[in-house]
Each structure stands twice: as structure tokens, then as C-alpha cells.
Amino acid sequence: MDAREKILGLFRQKPGDFVSGEQISRALGVSRTAVWKKIRILRDLGYEIEAVTSRGYRLLASPDLLMPAEIQSDLDTEVVGGKVVCLQQADSTNMRAFELGEQGAPEGTVVLADSQSLGKGRLGRRWESPAGVNLYASVLLRPAILPMEASQLTFVSAVAAVEAVAEISGLPARVKWPNDILIGGKKVAGLLNEMSGESERINFVVLGIGVNLNMQPEQFPEDLRYPATSVAIELGRPVSRIDFARLLIRRLDDLYGLYRREGFSPILRRWESHCDLIGRQVEVDLNGRLLRGTVSGLDPQGGLLVDSDGEQVQVLAGDVRPL
Ligand code: BT5
């Protein structure tokens, strides 16, 4: 962690308050003059910092750059966020987290990027990932489960994402099976979970979470599959990416703890409480074949149960559209 990050971590511990030059120089083990130089660098980066003789320094506004120290300060989680890696640019945070997983990075490692050049959606699709506005996160987990159970973790990340979006915005966010988060019927976040393992054993799982936070209408491509939005568009004001990253990490940590202790069923119940599909007429695109029917619920593995022509069909993968 570098000195600038440590200073930001200290500011975050006392939001809106002065931190004395003395305290910073002690925490960093450098002179007061060196502290002043670091403050100047932070100001050049866009941090608005007030300096008052005899009181110290106070952070007035931040450019919302992703920095591990700010994200980890007082995070107090069990597993998720123990290590946080922030990249200025990534091809895809999922690919970076996968690489870290192969190199033995600890469970709970979070990879964030300011922008992605090859943001991945499902089935080879692209995830639009402009710089400076959104959250692109991948979380490395090493759960003691079977490969066939790995899709359960998609529900863990979906519940964390929908609850974090609802909490930061106060808006009613909903989940759509299997991996979309919507506000007012428009997609605000998507999930892409990937696994490394053999037939009997999981090495690790990467939970990829993309959330449109401050993206503006002109930043969306025209040919999106579904109507899309961002938290800022819906709310009429921007939200802090750092605050959101912290909320999301805490939620994920709570839910992953619940999953480890009590298994999948409490996660599934919580997911259902955020979903409006149950009881509704839908059309499911099963890789080109269309199925119409009424959603009757989820099976214990998280598959969608659709009643169609008097028959109950279990859908394990596909795109669902309410009719
Ligand atoms: C998803 O795929 O929804 C999964 C998205 C996962 C993105 C995260 S970001 C962090 C991590 N690192 C990665 O590389 N990926 C994960 P899918 O359901 O296939 O949706 C993709 C489709 O949504 C595209 O084909 C577009 O039509 C549309 N789309 C692309 N970018 C979008 C955006 N930013 N917001 C809303 N819709 C978008």
C-alpha cells in the first residue's frame, strides 16, 4: 500500500474531520514535510484537501478513484476483500482474477478496474466498460463444493449486487433469472461467474460483477439486447464508486458466510424475495428454441421451473423475457 493510499485510508476513518499532520507522519513513518508533499500529489490527482494550521488536513471531495486503502479501511469482513487489487485498466477483471487464482491468491481477493477493454458478458458477449464511471469487480472464492454446485454462487453474487444497488440508491432493484439486476425493468448490472476445476473438484470460482453506476445515456451502445440504465440515470445524481464497492464487498462477505454455514437454501429464499418473475408468463430462449409458460419457482439447485402446456420444464440456462 503506498503512502497516498494510507493517507486516504486515514481520512476515511474520520469522514469530514481533520487528521493532524502529526498523525499522518506517524502512520507513514515520514517527516511532516514529506506529508505535505504527499498531500500536494493527492491534490494534483483531484482530491480537494483543506489544510488548516494546528488542526491538520481534511478531505472535502474526492475524484472517486479506486484505491485499495480507501476500499479496505475499516472493512471488517471475514473473507471477501482481504486483498483488493485496483487496476487502472484491465482487459477483463475476470481474466485478471482467474490469473491470480492460478497463482494461488487467497480466497476473497477482489480485483477492480477503472475500465475494461474486453469486458466479458455471457456466451462470448461484450460488457460495455467505459472508464471512471462504473464498477467492474471480480471476486476470487475457493469454496468446498462440487463443480455442479458452482452455479449456486451466481445467486450469492446476484443477491449481493441487488441489495447493494438498492441500498446505495434507495430504489427498488430486482433480480431477473439467472444473472441480471434491473431497475424499473432496465438492466443496471450483470454477473458472469467462471470456474476453474476438474470433474470432481473446484480449484476456484471467480464472481464477475459489472454495475452501471454513473454511466450516462450517451455512453450506452445503440444495439443493446435489453433496455439498460445506470444508478445515476435513475437517481438523477452520481454515487460514489468507493462507497458502492465497500457495500458490495460487505454484502458478499455476509452472504458467502451464510452460504458456507447454512448452504444454498437461505440464499435461494433471499434471491426469490428480490424477484418478480414467479407466477408470471415468460418466454425463454433456449439457445434458439423458444419456450413459453408460467414460472412456478426455482428448483433446489436454482434452475427455473416453467409450466408449459401442462408440463413442468426445468431450465438450467437461457434468456428469460417476461411477456
Ligand atoms: C452479463 O452478460 O450480463 C454479464 C456481465 C458481467 C460483467 C462483469 S464486469 C466485471 C467482470 N469482468 C468481466 O469481464 N465481466 C464481468 P450478458 O447477460 O451476456 O449481457 C451482455 C449483453 O448486455 C451484451 O450483449 C449487451 O447487449 C448488453 N450490455 C453490454 N454492456 C452493457 C452494460 N454496461 N449495461 C447493460 N447492458 C450491457
Side-chain angles (χ1 to χ4, degrees):
M1 193 188 296
D2 73 11
R4 284 173 301 173
E5 291 189 30
K6 278 194 192 153
I7 297 176
L8 292 170
L10 291 172
F11 283 138
R12 185 160 278 279
Q13 281 168 19
K14 294 167 104 185
D17 244 357
F18 281 94
V19 182
S20 72
E22 162 89 44
Q23 201 184 337
I24 301 177
S25 83
R26 247 187 294 124
L28 267 57
V30 300
S31 71
R32 299 280 288 272
T33 321
V35 169
W36 171 239
K37 282 189 187 147
K38 303 286 179 210
I39 295 282
R40 272 213 329 248
I41 296 174
L42 282 170
R43 281 181 173 162
D44 289 344
L45 285 171
Y47 290 89
E48 242 177 83
I49 298 170
E50 185 184 14
V52 175
T53 325
S54 82
R55 299 191 72 182
Y57 301 100
R58 181 160 69 147
L59 181 63
L60 299 176
S62 105
D64 205 22
L65 302 178
L66 298 170
M67 299 240 189
E70 268 204 286
I71 291 168
Q72 287 181 295
S73 167
D74 285 337
L75 201 53
D76 209 20
T77 50
E78 222 177 307
V79 173
V80 182
K83 179 179 161 97
V84 175
V85 177
C86 295
L87 305 169
Q88 187 58 31
Q89 217 227 9
D91 38 10
S92 146
T93 54
N94 265 32
M95 293 195 235
R96 291 307 111 224
F98 216 89
E99 194 174 78
L100 289 173
E102 280 167 348
Q103 291 164 1
E107 167 158 87
T109 298
V110 177
V111 180
L112 301 172
D114 189 62
S115 69
Q116 298 183 116
S117 54
L118 288 174
K120 292 200 281 180
R122 291 177 302 151
L123 308 169
R125 296 195 281 251
R126 284 285 303 270
W127 186 254
E128 207 59 31
S129 309
V133 286
N134 292 338
L135 192 90
Y136 315 112
S138 297
V139 181
L140 176 71
L141 297 178
R142 300 182 181 279
I145 56 174
L146 296 169
M148 59 174 282
E149 294 167 320
S151 62
Q152 297 177 349
L153 290 165
T154 305
F155 292 84
V156 172
S157 51
V159 174
V162 74
E163 292 185 358
V165 167
E167 193 172 336
I168 201 143
S169 66
L171 297 169
R174 310 298 287 162
V175 290
K176 183 168 134 308
W177 190 89
N179 73 333
D180 296 338
I181 312 299
L182 312 178
I183 299 180
K186 296 181 184 165
K187 182 155 168 172
V188 70
L191 312 166
L192 175 68
N193 293 353
E194 297 181 285
M195 183 185 85
S196 156
E198 292 129 43
S199 57
E200 300 286 311
R201 203 173 69 91
I202 283 188
N203 292 329
F204 57 81
V205 176
V206 169
L207 307 185
I209 305 174
V211 186
N212 300 333
L213 290 177
N214 298 322
M215 205 170 168
Q216 293 304 305
E218 61 277 10
Q219 291 179 296
F220 288 93
E222 272 160 21
D223 57 346
L224 290 178
R225 290 165 61 84
Y226 309 105
T229 191
S230 71
V231 172
I233 292 172
E234 298 301 316
L235 206 54
R237 64 170 169 81
V239 292
S240 150
R241 291 192 300 173
I242 290 186
D243 288 349
F244 184 79
R246 288 165 60 80
L247 264 177
L248 182 69
I249 289 172
R250 286 203 172 117
R251 284 285 159 156
L252 268 174
D253 190 65
D254 280 350
L255 289 157
Y256 187 49
L258 179 66
Y259 177 75
R260 287 197 315 272
R261 286 190 309 275
E262 296 181 32
F264 187 44
S265 74
I267 301 291
L268 206 49
R269 281 200 300 275
R270 193 124 143 211
W271 187 92
E272 281 172 334
S273 75
H274 296 298
C275 173
D276 319 298
L277 272 188
I278 293 158
R280 284 187 67 174
Q281 281 271 344
V282 293
E283 187 173 75
V284 190
D285 182 347
L286 300 165
N287 247 331
R289 190 166 71 81
L290 291 181
L291 171 81
R292 278 180 177 224
T294 309
V295 176
S296 58
L298 295 177
D299 70 23
Q301 291 310 315
L304 193 72
L305 297 173
V306 180
D307 290 336
S308 178
D309 289 335
E311 212 190 311
Q312 189 171 67
V313 185
Q314 182 198 29
V315 182
L316 296 175
D319 274 323
V320 182
R321 199 166 61 82
L323 291 175

